[in-house]
Amino acid sequence: MRLFSATIATETNTFSPLPTSLDAFKESVWLRPGEHPDDAPRMCTAPLFVARKRAKQEGYTLIEGSCFAASPAGTVNRDAYEFMRDEVLDQLKAALPLDGVLFGLHGAMVAHGYDDVEGDILERARAIVGPDCVIGVELDPHCHLTLKRMKNADIVILYKEFPHTDVQDRAEDLLDLVLRTIRGEVKPVMSVYDCRQISSYPTTLPLMRGFVDRMFALEGKDGILSVSAAHCFPYGDVAELTGRILVVADGDKAKADALATRLGEEFVSMRGKTMPEYHSIASGVQQSIESNVSPVVMADPADNAGGGAPSDNTSILRELIAKDAQDAAVGPIWDPLAVRLCFDAGLGATFPLRFGGKIGPTSGQPIDAMVEVTALARDCRQSFGPTTVPLGDCAAIRIGGVKVVLISNRTQALGLELFRNVGIEPTEQKILLVKSTNHFMAAFGPIAKKVLYIESDAPLSRTYEKIPFTKVQRPIWPLDKETNPGLIF
Ligand SMILES: [Zn+2]
């Protein structure tokens, strides 16, 4: 038995002012065949990682392709995408004959000229491997689950958890199903229900937690092989941006249709009830200062680098400084130039620094202040589940009672090391402001005595009616009141 695996992944915010080039992939995940480390999967590479581990015991040969992944940002350079795609497809051709293919993709990548990158990859891969080779795909739930992908893949599985703590577990599920299909033990058929809705679904909140637990409970019995919920990625302006439910059943299409419809209708009934409460900047800062428990963790989801935002918006920070907040720490502000200036000034220096507010109008205005450089650290990392994420060179600065972590490699707040690398103990702060939508909850949830989500003026607004969509198929909730959800595949 011969399997092939590769990754091309990023999450594209088509409204982001930060273009994604080949360099963005080289800075993040750029691994040629055989180069993938053995310690842990990188972004979206879990299918290759688990397939390598289990090859011997399951008795197949794994042919490793390249793994390319970049941090979320704006639309990908066309030449860059075609270069990576053609490299992987050439590897696929050279690996023939194949029984199975495992793709680790994100599912919300957009390149200039390609609104459905993953559909393009899968269509071309199918043309190469033929109809009998089993193609399995792992996607992030913040994906566009397009019909082109469903038509060209045999098995598609999405992570269920948000924060995404189950990337490796779902890759194991995918490998199990691909192997069972090749061995003739199951015949996967897929059904998709389109819920016609845009929303966010942290699985740390009770309603979505219950939904995901029921999805798990349905799997592995009564002919149901896998159940996934595509949340959608609200900041990718493509036709098939929408929430969808996907069911994989063993041979029985009617059964898959019925379950996808039942779960899809339930997902529709959850509209407006799956997001946390959002506070204004003034109210959030006031509540955190007045709180009698600590730390209070404030999240700035609208400036989440993990959704393609610059992570240099200053609005909440400015309010913390204006209100003279004490024992407060903010991170990360992405500003490599400011980090450089802090290194130039030196540890312990107090000097006038302009930082943040640089990339676009939704970054707010830069902050000009006399800052004290309290820590400098080269080549830092933070952890997220089993993976580690580079932060680059970091500096901690202090303005009154507010400390700020400046980073060089744009990423969201994921691990407590973001602060600890630069001598700030997060558990000892009264207020922590983190830039992240919900992944921060994996590490910061357990230390938070209170969590406040703030709606700032950064680019990833939760008020979806404010996003200037041009390509999204209508009608769709909440942009339209009347919609027509239904089975589409
Ligand atoms: Zn995601």
Side-chain angles (χ1 to χ4, degrees):
M1 191 192 297
R2 290 167 59 81
L3 301 184
F4 173 86
S5 185
T7 285
I8 300 177
T10 189
E11 181 182 67
T12 300
N13 180 333
T14 58
F15 304 103
S16 170
L18 297 162
T20 302
S21 67
L22 221 45
D23 285 340
F25 289 84
K26 287 178 179 166
E27 284 163 13
S28 186
V29 177
W30 187 263
L31 300 165
R32 266 28 197 275
E35 291 179 1
H36 197 295
D38 263 324
D39 57 345
R42 300 306 192 253
M43 181 187 173
C44 300
T45 67
L48 182 143
F49 182 79
V50 303
R52 183 197 278 175
K53 274 197 174 166
R54 286 169 56 183
K56 203 168 174 186
Q57 137 210 4
E58 301 274 4
Y60 57 79
T61 302
L62 176 70
I63 297 97
E64 296 189 5
S66 295
C67 292
F68 303 125
S71 293
T75 304
V76 179
N77 177 295
R78 181 177 189 136
D79 287 346
Y81 164 56
E82 290 176 348
F83 173 84
M84 294 183 287
R85 177 195 69 192
D86 293 348
E87 176 169 317
V88 166
L89 293 177
D90 285 346
Q91 293 165 343
L92 185 65
K93 256 177 239 162
L96 295 173
L98 288 165
D99 302 283
V101 178
L102 301 157
F103 279 119
L105 308 175
H106 179 286
M109 180 166 166
V110 178
H112 288 286
Y114 298 92
D115 276 4
D116 182 6
V117 159
E118 292 81 0
D120 181 57
I121 294 170
L122 293 173
E123 187 176 54
R124 289 167 191 270
R126 177 60 79 193
I128 291 167
V129 300
D132 298 330
C133 176
V134 180
I135 298 183
V137 187
E138 185 184 34
L139 298 176
D140 186 293
H142 300 111
C143 67
H144 313 296
L145 196 60
T146 69
L147 286 174
K148 192 188 244 188
R149 301 175 198 185
M150 303 313 299
K151 285 172 188 155
N152 287 289
D154 296 286
I155 303 159
V156 178
I157 291 184
L158 279 49
Y159 326 144
K160 288 188 178 64
E161 302 291 345
F162 178 35
H164 305 327
T165 50
D166 63 332
V167 177
Q168 199 170 327
D169 294 334
R170 300 292 77 77
E172 300 275 5
D173 294 351
L174 181 70
L175 179 59
D176 285 339
L177 287 184
V178 166
L179 291 174
R180 290 174 68 196
T181 307
I182 294 169
R183 289 171 182 148
E185 295 165 17
V186 292
K187 280 194 171 56
V189 290
M190 298 194 287
S191 294
V192 175
Y193 185 94
D194 189 346
C195 302
R196 305 305 307 146
Q197 63 197 42
I198 303 173
S199 192
S200 179
Y201 311 87
T203 57
T204 40
L205 293 177
L207 188 62
M208 191 59 188
R209 181 71 259 147
F211 189 75
V212 167
D213 289 342
R214 283 196 297 288
M215 285 163 59
F216 275 118
L218 288 162
E219 293 178 334
K221 60 177 83 117
D222 198 26
I224 300 302
L225 301 175
S226 173
V227 180
S228 294
H231 300 189
C232 83
F233 179 60
Y235 312 102
D237 189 14
V238 298
E240 288 179 83
L241 190 179
T242 173
R244 288 178 169 169
I245 298 292
L246 161 65
V247 172
V248 189
D250 184 7
D252 191 339
K253 179 73 168 110
K255 189 176 275 179
D257 286 352
L259 183 58
T261 302
R262 177 159 78 76
L263 292 173
E265 287 171 352
E266 188 180 341
F267 210 46
V268 170
S269 77
M270 288 158 60
R271 286 178 182 177
K273 301 172 194 161
T274 59
M275 291 206 285
E277 182 188 357
Y278 287 92
H279 302 272
S280 69
I281 293 175
S283 157
V285 167
Q286 194 62 32
Q287 285 183 63
S288 67
I289 289 174
E290 287 170 359
S291 171
N292 46 23
V293 294
S294 66
V296 175
V297 175
M298 280 196 293
D300 184 5
D303 202 21
N304 173 21
S311 195
D312 73 339
N313 180 286
T314 52
S315 300
I316 306 176
L317 169 61
R318 189 181 301 281
E319 178 77 1
L320 283 167
I321 295 169
K323 290 283 147 59
D324 195 26
Q326 298 299 310
D327 299 315
V330 177
I333 297 276
W334 177 59
D335 193 334
L337 185 57
V339 171
R340 162 76 198 270
L341 296 174
C342 289
F343 271 87
D344 289 347
L347 185 61
T350 298
F351 77 115
L353 178 68
R354 169 171 285 197
F355 68 96
K358 284 197 173 64
I359 297 300
T362 51
S363 297
Q365 292 298 310
I367 289 190
D368 286 289
M370 286 300 287
V371 307
E372 181 193 349
V373 180
T374 59
L376 297 166
R378 296 277 184 202
D379 202 19
C380 299
R381 303 186 77 83
Q382 62 177 344
S383 52
F384 182 55
T387 66
T388 74
V389 178
L391 297 160
D393 295 345
C394 296
I397 54 174
R398 191 178 64 77
I399 305 132
V402 181
K403 299 171 283 292
V404 181
V405 179
L406 302 170
I407 63 169
S408 305
N409 187 67
R410 194 178 57 88
T411 182
Q412 67 183 297
L414 295 170
L416 301 179
E417 303 95 325
L418 170 68
F419 293 100
R420 286 180 177 155
N421 288 327
V422 284
I424 299 168
E425 177 47 47
T427 56
E428 290 170 6
Q429 307 305 309
K430 186 164 190 291
I431 301 168
L432 287 166
L433 167 62
V434 294
K435 290 182 181 281
S436 172
T437 299
N438 205 52
H439 285 346
F440 74 95
M441 282 296 283
F444 290 87
I447 69 157
K449 292 294 187 297
K450 188 176 190 177
V451 176
L452 296 171
Y453 293 84
I454 312 296
E455 172 79 335
S456 76
D457 56 346
L460 308 186
S461 176
R462 303 289 118 180
T463 311
Y464 302 115
E465 296 92 325
K466 284 202 278 190
I467 302 174
F469 295 115
T470 59
K471 295 183 178 174
V472 176
Q473 280 165 10
R474 308 288 288 264
I476 191 162
W477 180 87
L479 312 185
D480 304 294
K481 293 288 159 271
E482 297 290 321
T483 62
N484 313 300
L487 203 67
I488 55 159
F489 185 82

